[in-house]
Amino acid sequence: APAIAVAYWNLDESATLRDVVLAVRADEALHRDTNHHFSDRIRVGRESLYEDLDHADDKPHIKY
C-alpha cells in the first residue's frame, strides 16, 4: 500500500492495496451514514445540534 494511505488510514506497514480499498469503503460508509443522519434532521426541521445540547436534561450544560 502507498505510504500516504498507510499513514492516513493508520494501516499496518504490510498493508496491501486490498486493505486500502477496504479502509476507503469503511470510511465512505461512515460518511454516508453521517450525511443521511443530517439530511433526515433537515427534513424534519431539526438542523441545529445546539438545540439538542440546550434541551438535554441528562447532559451537562455546554457553553458555546
Side-chain angles (χ1 to χ4, degrees):
I4 193 168
V6 170
Y8 186 81
W9 283 288
N10 196 28
L11 300 173
D12 190 67
E13 291 295 325
S14 64
T16 63
L17 186 55
R18 180 180 187 279
D19 297 323
V20 174
V21 171
L22 293 174
V24 169
R25 287 183 55 164
D27 189 42
E28 289 303 317
L30 291 174
H31 291 280
R32 177 201 64 219
D33 294 343
T34 301
N35 290 339
H36 281 281
H37 169 78
F38 284 113
S39 67
D40 290 344
R41 289 182 66 96
I42 290 169
R43 184 171 43 93
V44 296
R46 295 191 58 209
E47 295 94 345
S48 176
L49 296 176
Y50 293 117
E51 290 176 9
D52 290 351
L53 293 173
D54 289 339
H55 300 295
D57 295 330
D58 62 337
K59 296 184 172 76
H61 180 69
I62 299 172
K63 292 184 181 185
Y64 41 85

